[in-house]
């Protein structure tokens, strides 16, 4: 799951199944299987490398999660080697121009998409 520390000093669960731990993995929008990287762009959108689902998700300013890259469905069968497909993405960064950079770990490559 993804948690955020508010200005009031309190933690809140932003996304993921309640409870955490074993059995909390999911493949729906806003659900994760080993989220490993997170970045925030200049517009306030939150980007997450969802390693176990082999995809990238984004939380828009409207509060809605969407799968923006990777094969549909998530899980072990969603890994891929094509452009915009991933096998265990771990790191993610967003450039000043809005370009999203992803460390596609098991494919031994860096992928980029977006504005740049």
């Amino acid at each position: 799951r993804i948690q955020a520390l508010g200005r009031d000093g309190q933690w809140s669960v932003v996304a993921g199944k309640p409870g955490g731990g074993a059995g909390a993995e999911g493949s729906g929008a806003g659900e994760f299987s080993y989220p490993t990287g997170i970045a925030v762009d200049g517009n306030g959108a939150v980007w997450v490398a969802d390693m176990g689902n082999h995809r990238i998700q984004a939380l828009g300013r409207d509060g809605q999660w969407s799968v923006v890259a990777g094969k549909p469905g998530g899980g072990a069968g969603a890994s891929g080697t094509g452009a915009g497909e991933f096998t265990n993405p771990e790191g993610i960064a967003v450039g000043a121009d809005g370009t999203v950079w992803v460390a596609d770990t098991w494919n031994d490559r860096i992928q980029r998409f977006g504005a740049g």
Side-chain angles (χ1 to χ4, degrees), residues 33 51-54 71 73-80 86-88:
S33 177
M51 184 179 81
N53 283 318
H54 310 287
K71 289 183 178 179
S79 66
F86 304 93
T87 302
N88 294 46

Side-chain angles (χ1 to χ4, degrees), residues 30-53:
E31 296 178 347
F32 303 94
S33 177
Y34 301 99
T36 55
I38 192 165
V40 179
D41 69 21
N43 295 319
V46 177
W47 297 80
V48 178
D50 186 5
M51 184 179 81
N53 283 318

Side-chain angles (χ1 to χ4, degrees), residues 30-113:
E31 296 178 347
F32 303 94
S33 177
Y34 301 99
T36 55
I38 192 165
V40 179
D41 69 21
N43 295 319
V46 177
W47 297 80
V48 178
D50 186 5
M51 184 179 81
N53 283 318
H54 310 287
R55 65 187 184 183
I56 304 302
Q57 293 196 62
L59 173 64
R61 294 188 65 190
D62 61 359
Q64 298 297 308
W65 283 96
S66 61
V67 176
V68 295
K71 289 183 178 179
S79 66
T81 60
E85 297 176 349
F86 304 93
T87 302
N88 294 46
E90 291 194 39
I92 191 165
V94 182
D97 65 352
T99 300
V100 178
W101 299 85
V102 180
D104 188 6
T105 306
W106 286 18
N107 283 322
D108 298 312
R109 65 185 179 184
I110 304 295
Q111 292 199 60
R112 72 175 182 151
F113 57 93

